[in-house]
Amino acid sequence: MRTSYKLHVALACVLFAGGIHQAVQAQSKSPAPQLSATNVKQIVAAMTLEEKSKLVVGMGFKMPGVPPPVKGKKPEAIDIGGFKLPPSDPDAYNIPEKVPGAAGRTHAIPRLGIPSITVSDGPAGLRIEPIRNGDKSKTYYATAFPVATLLASTWDTQLVNKVGVAFGNEVREYGVDILLAPGLNIHRNPLGGRNFEYYSEDPLVAGSMTAAIVNGIESNGVGTSIKHYAANNQETNRNSINTIVSERAMRELYLRGFEIAVKKAQPWTVMSSYNKLNGTFTSERRDLLTTILKKEWGFKGFVMTDWFGGKDAVAQMKAGNDLLMPGNPTQSDDIVAAVKSGKLSAQQLDANVERILNVIVQSPTFKKYKYSDAPDLAGHAAVAREAAAQGMVLLKNDDHALPFGTGKRIAVFGNTSYDIIAGGTGSGDVNKAYTISLMQGLANANFKLQETLSNNYKAYLTDMKAKQPKPKNFFDHPAPIPEMDVNAIVGEEANGADEALITIGRNAGEGADRKLESDYYLNDAEKGLINGVASAFHAKGKKVIVVLNVGGVVDVTAWRDKVDGILLAWQPGLEAGNAIADVLSGKVNPSGKLATTFPADYKDVPSANNFPGTPEGKPTQVIYEEGIYVGYRYYDAAKVTPAYEFGYGLSYTNFKFSDLKLSSKVFKNMITASVTVKNTGDVAGKEVVQLYLAAPKKDLDKPEDELKAFGKTKLLAPGQSQTLTFTIKAADLASFYTDRQAWIADEGDYKVKIGSSSRKIEETASFSLAKDITVEKVNKALLPEQTINELKLK
C-alpha cells in the first residue's frame, strides 16, 4: 500500500509540475504589456528586478577622450586628472547617441515598450555637439541665451517665460527630452563660481524666475530639471563639502525658491546636489527628497542625481533619489543585491521606477515626435537680444553720459570689447554659431569708431591667443589675456574721439569658485587702463563709460568715481554686442535692476569669514553662520551701506510712485496693495515695482524687510501712468519657527514698503494682525549635527 501511495503522489507531482510549466510557456508566449500613459503600474509589475535596476540607473557617460570599456572585461574606474571616473556602462559606447553631445540617457527596455530618453545641459542654452561625424555641411548650433543672473535682473517673468518658450523649442527640435536646467541656488557669496547660472540672492526672485522659464520650456512638451537641490552655493570641494546650516535658514532661503518653482511649475524632474547637508549627501537624504519635496510640496516628477553625485546607490534609492546619473553597472548590481537581501524594499524601488515611467510617457521620444534638427535660430536670437537689453543694469550715469549721441565717434578700449563673453564655462557653456562682439554691435548701430585703435586690439588679441596653451580638460580654461597697454596712444585717441568706452570682462564656471585678486577686484592693468583713459579724456572734457561684461559681482568702489557711466551688461548671450549697443544708443531704455547686491567691500559680505569653508585650502565643511542674513537681508538690518543695493538700477527717464492703498488696515486672510507709477521724464521707459514687508519682531530675530512681491510696468510714455496691484497672503507674513516646526505669522503691526530698490522706498503703509496665525505645520527635518553660532541682529 505504501508503494502504491508513493507512486500516486509522484505521478500527481509530475502532472502538477507539467501544468505549471505549460502555464509558464503560455505566459511567455503571450505578448508583454507595452507602456502607455494609463498602464504604468501594470508595467512596473511586469518588470523584472534586473530591468528595474537598469531603469533607475543611467546608461553611462561617453566621456570625450576616455576609451570605451574593454569587451568581455568588467568595466573599471578611470582616472581623469585626479578624479576617479566610475566605470561606464558599455551601452554608452555600443548604442549610438540620438543626440551627440547630450549629457546622458536612460536605458531602454524594448520588451515593455520603454524607450531611452535623452537629457542635456544647460542653463543658458542647449549644450550639444554642433558638428557630427566631422560633417560640417550640416550644423546643430544652439542659441546662447543671456545667463540666469541677467534674466533675473529683468524682474519680468513674462519676458523670462518668452525666453523659455524659445529655449524649449530648441530642446524639442533637437531631439532632447529633458533639459538639465535651470539652476536656482542662492547667491550666498559673490565668489560663487556658478552664480551666473543662478538668479538671485533672494528666493522669491529665484523661484519666480525659475517657474517662469520652466513653464515656458515645458510648454513645448519637453522637461526640465531644476537644480541643484539643495544648499549647493559653492564649487570648492563641491563633491564632498558638508554644508552645515540651520533648518530655519534652509526653509526660509535655500529651499524656498525650489518650493515656489515646484508649486508654480511642477517641473518634470529635480536634480539633487553634490554636497552633503548636515552630514549626509543630499541624494541620500530622505527627509529632503521625499518628506519635504514629494510629500510637503506635492512634487509629482522624479529626482535625479547630479553627474556622479553621492556614494551609495542603495541609500539614494531609499531616499527617493529615483534616477542615478550618468549611471554605471555597479550601481545596478548593488540595487539588485539590496532587494534580494532585504536591505532595499521592493516597494521603494517600484515607487522610484513608477515616477520615472510617469515622466517617460510625457516625453517626445515616447510620443515618437519627429524632431526637425532645425529650430528657429534667427527668431530665438531676436528673443535673446531683447531679453539681454532688458536685463542690463545702468549703475551710474553722471550728467547724462548715456545714451551716446547720434554720430558720436567712440574710442573703444578693453580686450573684452573685441572678445565679448556670451556666457560662463563648463556645463553652462553653449556651442553657438556666433557671438556679436561689442565692436560689431556698435558698428551695426552706426557709431563711428576709432579704426586704428580697433586694429591694434585685434592684432594684439590674435597674437596673444596663439600663445595660449590648449585646455587640458573640461574644467581647464586659459588665463585671461592681460589688457593691452594703451598709455602711448591714449592721448591721441582722446584728441580724435568724442567719447571713450572701456569693457571689463570676467568669466567663471563649473569646478572652481572665483578669487578675490584679479577677479572680484580689478587687477593693476585694468585699473591702470581706466585711470589712463579717464585722465586723458577728462582733460579734454570728454566722457568715459565702463561696460561690465561679467557673470558675477565685481568690486566697483576702487574706480567708479573716475568714470562717468557704468553699464552692467552681465553675460548677454550670442547677441551680446547688439544688445549692449541697443542700450548705449538709447534704442532701449535700461530697466534692469540688481537681483544681487554689490557690496562696498568684500569684507562686508556676511559669509566672507566662512566661505568656502574650513580648513582653509582644503575645506571639508562650511558653516552658514550668517543664518537668514544673506544679501540685502543682512545689509539693511545691519545698516551696512553697499556699493549698489538689491533692486537698484537707473533709467534714462524718471518715475514717481504715488497713491499706495491697502485694501484693509486689519489683516484677515489677505490684503491687496496698489500703487501708481508715473513716467515723469521725457523718454519712454519701464519701471520695476518692489514690495517689501517689515514684520513685528516678537519672539524671533527677523530681517529689517523682505521682498514679498514685485512687478514691472509696461513701456510708459512720458507722462503716462500705470497702477500695479499686489496680493499679500498669510504665508507672506510668516517666519519659520524651528521649535514649533511651523510657519507662523506673528501678531502685531506690519509695514508695507514699496519702491524701486530695497533702499529707495517711495511709499509706505501699515496694517495689523490681531493674533498669531499658524500658516503651516511641517515635518522635523534637516537637523544640524552641531550647534551653529548664528548671527543675530534683533
Side-chain angles (χ1 to χ4, degrees), residues 404 408 410-413 417-418 436-449 454 501-503 547 576-585:
F404 285 140
K408 293 286 187 181
I410 306 170
V412 183
F413 298 90
S417 296
Y418 301 85
I436 302 293
S437 72
L438 181 50
M439 281 298 298
Q440 289 174 285
L442 292 169
N444 292 343
N446 297 316
F447 284 106
K448 299 171 185 175
L449 306 171
S454 300
L501 188 153
I502 306 166
T503 304
V547 172
N578 285 334
I580 296 170
D582 286 342
V583 176
L584 294 175
S585 67

PDB file of all heavy atoms in Angstrom, residues 404 408 410-413 417-418 436-449 454 501-503 547 576-585:
ATOM      1  N   PHE A 404      24.690 107.483 -25.745  1.00  0.00           N
ATOM      2  CA  PHE A 404      25.596 108.162 -26.656  1.00  0.00           C
ATOM      3  C   PHE A 404      24.791 108.934 -27.705  1.00  0.00           C
ATOM      4  O   PHE A 404      23.784 108.440 -28.204  1.00  0.00           O
ATOM      5  CB  PHE A 404      26.489 107.159 -27.398  1.00  0.00           C
ATOM      6  CG  PHE A 404      27.594 106.580 -26.569  1.00  0.00           C
ATOM      7  CD1 PHE A 404      27.923 105.238 -26.681  1.00  0.00           C
ATOM      8  CD2 PHE A 404      28.324 107.361 -25.688  1.00  0.00           C
ATOM      9  CE1 PHE A 404      28.944 104.690 -25.936  1.00  0.00           C
ATOM     10  CE2 PHE A 404      29.363 106.827 -24.942  1.00  0.00           C
ATOM     11  CZ  PHE A 404      29.669 105.485 -25.057  1.00  0.00           C
ATOM     12  N   LYS A 408      28.277 110.203 -32.787  1.00  0.00           N
ATOM     13  CA  LYS A 408      29.468 110.343 -31.956  1.00  0.00           C
ATOM     14  C   LYS A 408      30.555 109.358 -32.409  1.00  0.00           C
ATOM     15  O   LYS A 408      30.273 108.241 -32.839  1.00  0.00           O
ATOM     16  CB  LYS A 408      29.128 110.073 -30.484  1.00  0.00           C
ATOM     17  CG  LYS A 408      28.211 111.124 -29.851  1.00  0.00           C
ATOM     18  CD  LYS A 408      28.961 112.409 -29.578  1.00  0.00           C
ATOM     19  CE  LYS A 408      28.090 113.394 -28.797  1.00  0.00           C
ATOM     20  NZ  LYS A 408      28.783 114.668 -28.540  1.00  0.00           N
ATOM     21  N   ILE A 410      33.542 107.054 -31.174  1.00  0.00           N
ATOM     22  CA  ILE A 410      33.868 106.401 -29.917  1.00  0.00           C
ATOM     23  C   ILE A 410      35.212 105.668 -30.009  1.00  0.00           C
ATOM     24  O   ILE A 410      35.469 104.943 -30.979  1.00  0.00           O
ATOM     25  CB  ILE A 410      32.770 105.390 -29.524  1.00  0.00           C
ATOM     26  CG1 ILE A 410      31.404 106.089 -29.503  1.00  0.00           C
ATOM     27  CG2 ILE A 410      33.053 104.770 -28.167  1.00  0.00           C
ATOM     28  CD1 ILE A 410      30.236 105.153 -29.356  1.00  0.00           C
ATOM     29  N   ALA A 411      36.035 105.884 -28.994  1.00  0.00           N
ATOM     30  CA  ALA A 411      37.267 105.101 -28.845  1.00  0.00           C
ATOM     31  C   ALA A 411      36.957 103.938 -27.918  1.00  0.00           C
ATOM     32  O   ALA A 411      36.548 104.145 -26.773  1.00  0.00           O
ATOM     33  CB  ALA A 411      38.375 105.966 -28.263  1.00  0.00           C
ATOM     34  N   VAL A 412      37.129 102.728 -28.405  1.00  0.00           N
ATOM     35  CA  VAL A 412      36.717 101.531 -27.663  1.00  0.00           C
ATOM     36  C   VAL A 412      37.944 100.801 -27.128  1.00  0.00           C
ATOM     37  O   VAL A 412      38.777 100.323 -27.894  1.00  0.00           O
ATOM     38  CB  VAL A 412      35.883 100.600 -28.561  1.00  0.00           C
ATOM     39  CG1 VAL A 412      35.403  99.393 -27.777  1.00  0.00           C
ATOM     40  CG2 VAL A 412      34.693 101.350 -29.146  1.00  0.00           C
ATOM     41  N   PHE A 413      38.026 100.726 -25.788  1.00  0.00           N
ATOM     42  CA  PHE A 413      39.160 100.112 -25.112  1.00  0.00           C
ATOM     43  C   PHE A 413      38.728  98.830 -24.397  1.00  0.00           C
ATOM     44  O   PHE A 413      37.547  98.622 -24.114  1.00  0.00           O
ATOM     45  CB  PHE A 413      39.745 101.078 -24.066  1.00  0.00           C
ATOM     46  CG  PHE A 413      40.291 102.357 -24.632  1.00  0.00           C
ATOM     47  CD1 PHE A 413      39.473 103.473 -24.774  1.00  0.00           C
ATOM     48  CD2 PHE A 413      41.620 102.451 -25.013  1.00  0.00           C
ATOM     49  CE1 PHE A 413      39.965 104.653 -25.275  1.00  0.00           C
ATOM     50  CE2 PHE A 413      42.129 103.644 -25.524  1.00  0.00           C
ATOM     51  CZ  PHE A 413      41.299 104.749 -25.657  1.00  0.00           C
ATOM     52  N   SER A 417      35.947  94.201 -25.198  1.00  0.00           N
ATOM     53  CA  SER A 417      35.151  94.898 -26.219  1.00  0.00           C
ATOM     54  C   SER A 417      35.241  94.179 -27.561  1.00  0.00           C
ATOM     55  O   SER A 417      34.314  94.215 -28.364  1.00  0.00           O
ATOM     56  CB  SER A 417      35.659  96.335 -26.398  1.00  0.00           C
ATOM     57  OG  SER A 417      35.493  97.092 -25.228  1.00  0.00           O
ATOM     58  N   TYR A 418      36.375  93.503 -27.747  1.00  0.00           N
ATOM     59  CA  TYR A 418      36.627  92.830 -29.021  1.00  0.00           C
ATOM     60  C   TYR A 418      36.420  91.318 -28.928  1.00  0.00           C
ATOM     61  O   TYR A 418      36.286  90.640 -29.937  1.00  0.00           O
ATOM     62  CB  TYR A 418      38.066  93.134 -29.474  1.00  0.00           C
ATOM     63  CG  TYR A 418      38.287  94.615 -29.637  1.00  0.00           C
ATOM     64  CD1 TYR A 418      38.630  95.413 -28.538  1.00  0.00           C
ATOM     65  CD2 TYR A 418      38.116  95.234 -30.874  1.00  0.00           C
ATOM     66  CE1 TYR A 418      38.793  96.783 -28.674  1.00  0.00           C
ATOM     67  CE2 TYR A 418      38.280  96.615 -31.023  1.00  0.00           C
ATOM     68  CZ  TYR A 418      38.609  97.382 -29.915  1.00  0.00           C
ATOM     69  OH  TYR A 418      38.766  98.742 -30.056  1.00  0.00           O
ATOM     70  N   ILE A 436      28.189  88.146 -31.198  1.00  0.00           N
ATOM     71  CA  ILE A 436      28.382  89.522 -31.676  1.00  0.00           C
ATOM     72  C   ILE A 436      29.225  90.282 -30.656  1.00  0.00           C
ATOM     73  O   ILE A 436      28.812  90.452 -29.510  1.00  0.00           O
ATOM     74  CB  ILE A 436      27.031  90.243 -31.877  1.00  0.00           C
ATOM     75  CG1 ILE A 436      26.148  89.484 -32.866  1.00  0.00           C
ATOM     76  CG2 ILE A 436      27.246  91.695 -32.321  1.00  0.00           C
ATOM     77  CD1 ILE A 436      26.662  89.472 -34.285  1.00  0.00           C
ATOM     78  N   SER A 437      30.418  90.719 -31.062  1.00  0.00           N
ATOM     79  CA  SER A 437      31.273  91.487 -30.160  1.00  0.00           C
ATOM     80  C   SER A 437      30.687  92.887 -29.962  1.00  0.00           C
ATOM     81  O   SER A 437      29.819  93.331 -30.733  1.00  0.00           O
ATOM     82  CB  SER A 437      32.690  91.599 -30.724  1.00  0.00           C
ATOM     83  OG  SER A 437      32.708  92.486 -31.826  1.00  0.00           O
ATOM     84  N   LEU A 438      31.174  93.574 -28.948  1.00  0.00           N
ATOM     85  CA  LEU A 438      30.703  94.938 -28.727  1.00  0.00           C
ATOM     86  C   LEU A 438      31.090  95.830 -29.892  1.00  0.00           C
ATOM     87  O   LEU A 438      30.313  96.706 -30.310  1.00  0.00           O
ATOM     88  CB  LEU A 438      31.261  95.491 -27.417  1.00  0.00           C
ATOM     89  CG  LEU A 438      30.826  96.907 -27.041  1.00  0.00           C
ATOM     90  CD1 LEU A 438      29.313  97.078 -27.119  1.00  0.00           C
ATOM     91  CD2 LEU A 438      31.317  97.260 -25.650  1.00  0.00           C
ATOM     92  N   MET A 439      32.270  95.625 -30.449  1.00  0.00           N
ATOM     93  CA  MET A 439      32.681  96.409 -31.627  1.00  0.00           C
ATOM     94  C   MET A 439      31.711  96.196 -32.786  1.00  0.00           C
ATOM     95  O   MET A 439      31.301  97.154 -33.448  1.00  0.00           O
ATOM     96  CB  MET A 439      34.083  95.997 -32.066  1.00  0.00           C
ATOM     97  CG  MET A 439      35.191  96.601 -31.231  1.00  0.00           C
ATOM     98  SD  MET A 439      35.210  98.401 -31.315  1.00  0.00           S
ATOM     99  CE  MET A 439      35.522  98.632 -33.046  1.00  0.00           C
ATOM    100  N   GLN A 440      31.340  94.944 -33.021  1.00  0.00           N
ATOM    101  CA  GLN A 440      30.377  94.664 -34.097  1.00  0.00           C
ATOM    102  C   GLN A 440      29.035  95.326 -33.804  1.00  0.00           C
ATOM    103  O   GLN A 440      28.408  95.902 -34.697  1.00  0.00           O
ATOM    104  CB  GLN A 440      30.167  93.149 -34.230  1.00  0.00           C
ATOM    105  CG  GLN A 440      31.331  92.385 -34.809  1.00  0.00           C
ATOM    106  CD  GLN A 440      31.069  90.893 -34.747  1.00  0.00           C
ATOM    107  OE1 GLN A 440      31.160  90.273 -33.679  1.00  0.00           O
ATOM    108  NE2 GLN A 440      30.709  90.300 -35.872  1.00  0.00           N
ATOM    109  N   GLY A 441      28.607  95.243 -32.565  1.00  0.00           N
ATOM    110  CA  GLY A 441      27.329  95.830 -32.181  1.00  0.00           C
ATOM    111  C   GLY A 441      27.311  97.332 -32.378  1.00  0.00           C
ATOM    112  O   GLY A 441      26.323  97.902 -32.880  1.00  0.00           O
ATOM    113  N   LEU A 442      28.389  98.002 -31.993  1.00  0.00           N
ATOM    114  CA  LEU A 442      28.480  99.460 -32.170  1.00  0.00           C
ATOM    115  C   LEU A 442      28.500  99.827 -33.643  1.00  0.00           C
ATOM    116  O   LEU A 442      27.867 100.809 -34.073  1.00  0.00           O
ATOM    117  CB  LEU A 442      29.723  99.997 -31.457  1.00  0.00           C
ATOM    118  CG  LEU A 442      29.703  99.915 -29.928  1.00  0.00           C
ATOM    119  CD1 LEU A 442      31.085 100.212 -29.358  1.00  0.00           C
ATOM    120  CD2 LEU A 442      28.671 100.887 -29.356  1.00  0.00           C
ATOM    121  N   ALA A 443      29.230  99.037 -34.430  1.00  0.00           N
ATOM    122  CA  ALA A 443      29.268  99.293 -35.874  1.00  0.00           C
ATOM    123  C   ALA A 443      27.885  99.071 -36.488  1.00  0.00           C
ATOM    124  O   ALA A 443      27.432  99.861 -37.336  1.00  0.00           O
ATOM    125  CB  ALA A 443      30.294  98.372 -36.538  1.00  0.00           C
ATOM    126  N   ASN A 444      27.186  98.021 -36.049  1.00  0.00           N
ATOM    127  CA  ASN A 444      25.835  97.759 -36.553  1.00  0.00           C
ATOM    128  C   ASN A 444      24.871  98.881 -36.192  1.00  0.00           C
ATOM    129  O   ASN A 444      23.879  99.113 -36.884  1.00  0.00           O
ATOM    130  CB  ASN A 444      25.306  96.435 -35.984  1.00  0.00           C
ATOM    131  CG  ASN A 444      26.056  95.229 -36.514  1.00  0.00           C
ATOM    132  OD1 ASN A 444      26.756  95.311 -37.516  1.00  0.00           O
ATOM    133  ND2 ASN A 444      25.937  94.098 -35.824  1.00  0.00           N
ATOM    134  N   ALA A 445      25.151  99.584 -35.064  1.00  0.00           N
ATOM    135  CA  ALA A 445      24.306 100.705 -34.631  1.00  0.00           C
ATOM    136  C   ALA A 445      24.752 102.030 -35.262  1.00  0.00           C
ATOM    137  O   ALA A 445      24.264 103.099 -34.880  1.00  0.00           O
ATOM    138  CB  ALA A 445      24.339 100.820 -33.109  1.00  0.00           C
ATOM    139  N   ASN A 446      25.696 101.927 -36.207  1.00  0.00           N
ATOM    140  CA  ASN A 446      26.157 103.085 -36.995  1.00  0.00           C
ATOM    141  C   ASN A 446      26.940 104.118 -36.188  1.00  0.00           C
ATOM    142  O   ASN A 446      26.937 105.309 -36.513  1.00  0.00           O
ATOM    143  CB  ASN A 446      24.974 103.766 -37.705  1.00  0.00           C
ATOM    144  CG  ASN A 446      24.306 102.847 -38.711  1.00  0.00           C
ATOM    145  OD1 ASN A 446      24.990 102.153 -39.476  1.00  0.00           O
ATOM    146  ND2 ASN A 446      22.983 102.799 -38.700  1.00  0.00           N
ATOM    147  N   PHE A 447      27.631 103.662 -35.145  1.00  0.00           N
ATOM    148  CA  PHE A 447      28.541 104.575 -34.455  1.00  0.00           C
ATOM    149  C   PHE A 447      29.852 104.650 -35.233  1.00  0.00           C
ATOM    150  O   PHE A 447      30.272 103.680 -35.867  1.00  0.00           O
ATOM    151  CB  PHE A 447      28.817 104.085 -33.026  1.00  0.00           C
ATOM    152  CG  PHE A 447      27.680 104.342 -32.077  1.00  0.00           C
ATOM    153  CD1 PHE A 447      26.872 103.309 -31.642  1.00  0.00           C
ATOM    154  CD2 PHE A 447      27.420 105.630 -31.625  1.00  0.00           C
ATOM    155  CE1 PHE A 447      25.822 103.544 -30.765  1.00  0.00           C
ATOM    156  CE2 PHE A 447      26.364 105.874 -30.747  1.00  0.00           C
ATOM    157  CZ  PHE A 447      25.568 104.829 -30.321  1.00  0.00           C
ATOM    158  N   LYS A 448      30.512 105.810 -35.154  1.00  0.00           N
ATOM    159  CA  LYS A 448      31.848 105.962 -35.733  1.00  0.00           C
ATOM    160  C   LYS A 448      32.856 105.464 -34.717  1.00  0.00           C
ATOM    161  O   LYS A 448      32.778 105.788 -33.538  1.00  0.00           O
ATOM    162  CB  LYS A 448      32.115 107.430 -36.066  1.00  0.00           C
ATOM    163  CG  LYS A 448      31.151 108.021 -37.093  1.00  0.00           C
ATOM    164  CD  LYS A 448      31.346 109.515 -37.206  1.00  0.00           C
ATOM    165  CE  LYS A 448      30.310 110.138 -38.131  1.00  0.00           C
ATOM    166  NZ  LYS A 448      30.406 111.624 -38.153  1.00  0.00           N
ATOM    167  N   LEU A 449      33.809 104.669 -35.169  1.00  0.00           N
ATOM    168  CA  LEU A 449      34.771 104.047 -34.269  1.00  0.00           C
ATOM    169  C   LEU A 449      36.201 104.395 -34.678  1.00  0.00           C
ATOM    170  O   LEU A 449      36.484 104.626 -35.852  1.00  0.00           O
ATOM    171  CB  LEU A 449      34.585 102.528 -34.281  1.00  0.00           C
ATOM    172  CG  LEU A 449      33.157 102.036 -33.980  1.00  0.00           C
ATOM    173  CD1 LEU A 449      33.027 100.548 -34.242  1.00  0.00           C
ATOM    174  CD2 LEU A 449      32.776 102.358 -32.540  1.00  0.00           C
ATOM    175  N   SER A 454      41.090 100.058 -32.925  1.00  0.00           N
ATOM    176  CA  SER A 454      40.443  98.754 -33.089  1.00  0.00           C
ATOM    177  C   SER A 454      41.379  97.747 -33.740  1.00  0.00           C
ATOM    178  O   SER A 454      41.476  96.592 -33.308  1.00  0.00           O
ATOM    179  CB  SER A 454      39.176  98.889 -33.932  1.00  0.00           C
ATOM    180  OG  SER A 454      38.267  99.770 -33.327  1.00  0.00           O
ATOM    181  N   LEU A 501      34.945 104.315 -24.342  1.00  0.00           N
ATOM    182  CA  LEU A 501      34.215 103.179 -23.773  1.00  0.00           C
ATOM    183  C   LEU A 501      35.241 102.107 -23.414  1.00  0.00           C
ATOM    184  O   LEU A 501      36.117 101.767 -24.224  1.00  0.00           O
ATOM    185  CB  LEU A 501      33.208 102.659 -24.792  1.00  0.00           C
ATOM    186  CG  LEU A 501      32.210 101.597 -24.312  1.00  0.00           C
ATOM    187  CD1 LEU A 501      30.930 101.664 -25.128  1.00  0.00           C
ATOM    188  CD2 LEU A 501      32.802 100.192 -24.425  1.00  0.00           C
ATOM    189  N   ILE A 502      35.143 101.596 -22.212  1.00  0.00           N
ATOM    190  CA  ILE A 502      36.046 100.546 -21.729  1.00  0.00           C
ATOM    191  C   ILE A 502      35.205  99.351 -21.287  1.00  0.00           C
ATOM    192  O   ILE A 502      34.258  99.515 -20.514  1.00  0.00           O
ATOM    193  CB  ILE A 502      36.872 101.018 -20.516  1.00  0.00           C
ATOM    194  CG1 ILE A 502      37.623 102.309 -20.822  1.00  0.00           C
ATOM    195  CG2 ILE A 502      37.850  99.931 -20.060  1.00  0.00           C
ATOM    196  CD1 ILE A 502      38.180 103.005 -19.583  1.00  0.00           C
ATOM    197  N   THR A 503      35.547  98.168 -21.755  1.00  0.00           N
ATOM    198  CA  THR A 503      34.850  96.968 -21.287  1.00  0.00           C
ATOM    199  C   THR A 503      35.772  96.164 -20.387  1.00  0.00           C
ATOM    200  O   THR A 503      36.929  95.921 -20.723  1.00  0.00           O
ATOM    201  CB  THR A 503      34.396  96.085 -22.462  1.00  0.00           C
ATOM    202  OG1 THR A 503      33.580  96.858 -23.346  1.00  0.00           O
ATOM    203  CG2 THR A 503      33.590  94.894 -21.965  1.00  0.00           C
ATOM    204  N   VAL A 547      31.686  99.353 -19.431  1.00  0.00           N
ATOM    205  CA  VAL A 547      30.734  98.253 -19.581  1.00  0.00           C
ATOM    206  C   VAL A 547      31.292  97.062 -18.824  1.00  0.00           C
ATOM    207  O   VAL A 547      32.445  96.661 -19.047  1.00  0.00           O
ATOM    208  CB  VAL A 547      30.503  97.891 -21.062  1.00  0.00           C
ATOM    209  CG1 VAL A 547      29.667  96.615 -21.181  1.00  0.00           C
ATOM    210  CG2 VAL A 547      29.823  99.037 -21.801  1.00  0.00           C
ATOM    211  N   ALA A 576      25.229  89.564 -27.775  1.00  0.00           N
ATOM    212  CA  ALA A 576      25.772  90.464 -26.757  1.00  0.00           C
ATOM    213  C   ALA A 576      26.027  91.876 -27.274  1.00  0.00           C
ATOM    214  O   ALA A 576      25.503  92.856 -26.730  1.00  0.00           O
ATOM    215  CB  ALA A 576      27.063  89.873 -26.186  1.00  0.00           C
ATOM    216  N   GLY A 577      26.847  92.013 -28.306  1.00  0.00           N
ATOM    217  CA  GLY A 577      27.225  93.335 -28.794  1.00  0.00           C
ATOM    218  C   GLY A 577      26.048  94.152 -29.279  1.00  0.00           C
ATOM    219  O   GLY A 577      25.968  95.363 -29.019  1.00  0.00           O
ATOM    220  N   ASN A 578      25.122  93.500 -29.964  1.00  0.00           N
ATOM    221  CA  ASN A 578      23.929  94.221 -30.448  1.00  0.00           C
ATOM    222  C   ASN A 578      23.068  94.694 -29.278  1.00  0.00           C
ATOM    223  O   ASN A 578      22.545  95.813 -29.283  1.00  0.00           O
ATOM    224  CB  ASN A 578      23.095  93.318 -31.368  1.00  0.00           C
ATOM    225  CG  ASN A 578      23.715  93.148 -32.741  1.00  0.00           C
ATOM    226  OD1 ASN A 578      24.466  94.001 -33.209  1.00  0.00           O
ATOM    227  ND2 ASN A 578      23.417  92.034 -33.394  1.00  0.00           N
ATOM    228  N   ALA A 579      22.914  93.825 -28.267  1.00  0.00           N
ATOM    229  CA  ALA A 579      22.073  94.193 -27.117  1.00  0.00           C
ATOM    230  C   ALA A 579      22.695  95.330 -26.311  1.00  0.00           C
ATOM    231  O   ALA A 579      21.996  96.252 -25.871  1.00  0.00           O
ATOM    232  CB  ALA A 579      21.857  92.969 -26.230  1.00  0.00           C
ATOM    233  N   ILE A 580      24.011  95.281 -26.120  1.00  0.00           N
ATOM    234  CA  ILE A 580      24.688  96.366 -25.391  1.00  0.00           C
ATOM    235  C   ILE A 580      24.556  97.673 -26.168  1.00  0.00           C
ATOM    236  O   ILE A 580      24.279  98.737 -25.593  1.00  0.00           O
ATOM    237  CB  ILE A 580      26.170  96.017 -25.135  1.00  0.00           C
ATOM    238  CG1 ILE A 580      26.275  94.793 -24.225  1.00  0.00           C
ATOM    239  CG2 ILE A 580      26.896  97.199 -24.504  1.00  0.00           C
ATOM    240  CD1 ILE A 580      27.695  94.231 -24.101  1.00  0.00           C
ATOM    241  N   ALA A 581      24.743  97.599 -27.488  1.00  0.00           N
ATOM    242  CA  ALA A 581      24.618  98.804 -28.318  1.00  0.00           C
ATOM    243  C   ALA A 581      23.193  99.349 -28.288  1.00  0.00           C
ATOM    244  O   ALA A 581      22.991 100.565 -28.351  1.00  0.00           O
ATOM    245  CB  ALA A 581      25.035  98.486 -29.757  1.00  0.00           C
ATOM    246  N   ASP A 582      22.205  98.473 -28.174  1.00  0.00           N
ATOM    247  CA  ASP A 582      20.810  98.931 -28.072  1.00  0.00           C
ATOM    248  C   ASP A 582      20.628  99.842 -26.863  1.00  0.00           C
ATOM    249  O   ASP A 582      19.901 100.839 -26.918  1.00  0.00           O
ATOM    250  CB  ASP A 582      19.861  97.731 -27.955  1.00  0.00           C
ATOM    251  CG  ASP A 582      19.678  96.985 -29.266  1.00  0.00           C
ATOM    252  OD1 ASP A 582      19.981  97.547 -30.333  1.00  0.00           O
ATOM    253  OD2 ASP A 582      19.227  95.824 -29.205  1.00  0.00           O
ATOM    254  N   VAL A 583      21.290  99.493 -25.748  1.00  0.00           N
ATOM    255  CA  VAL A 583      21.171 100.299 -24.528  1.00  0.00           C
ATOM    256  C   VAL A 583      22.047 101.542 -24.606  1.00  0.00           C
ATOM    257  O   VAL A 583      21.617 102.645 -24.253  1.00  0.00           O
ATOM    258  CB  VAL A 583      21.523  99.447 -23.288  1.00  0.00           C
ATOM    259  CG1 VAL A 583      21.494 100.303 -22.015  1.00  0.00           C
ATOM    260  CG2 VAL A 583      20.543  98.281 -23.149  1.00  0.00           C
ATOM    261  N   LEU A 584      23.282 101.392 -25.067  1.00  0.00           N
ATOM    262  CA  LEU A 584      24.192 102.540 -25.148  1.00  0.00           C
ATOM    263  C   LEU A 584      23.665 103.625 -26.085  1.00  0.00           C
ATOM    264  O   LEU A 584      23.888 104.815 -25.864  1.00  0.00           O
ATOM    265  CB  LEU A 584      25.575 102.085 -25.625  1.00  0.00           C
ATOM    266  CG  LEU A 584      26.371 101.158 -24.704  1.00  0.00           C
ATOM    267  CD1 LEU A 584      27.657 100.717 -25.384  1.00  0.00           C
ATOM    268  CD2 LEU A 584      26.694 101.857 -23.379  1.00  0.00           C
ATOM    269  N   SER A 585      22.948 103.201 -27.111  1.00  0.00           N
ATOM    270  CA  SER A 585      22.432 104.151 -28.102  1.00  0.00           C
ATOM    271  C   SER A 585      21.119 104.798 -27.685  1.00  0.00           C
ATOM    272  O   SER A 585      20.690 105.788 -28.268  1.00  0.00           O
ATOM    273  CB  SER A 585      22.223 103.434 -29.440  1.00  0.00           C
ATOM    274  OG  SER A 585      21.165 102.484 -29.324  1.00  0.00           O
TER     275      SER A 585
END
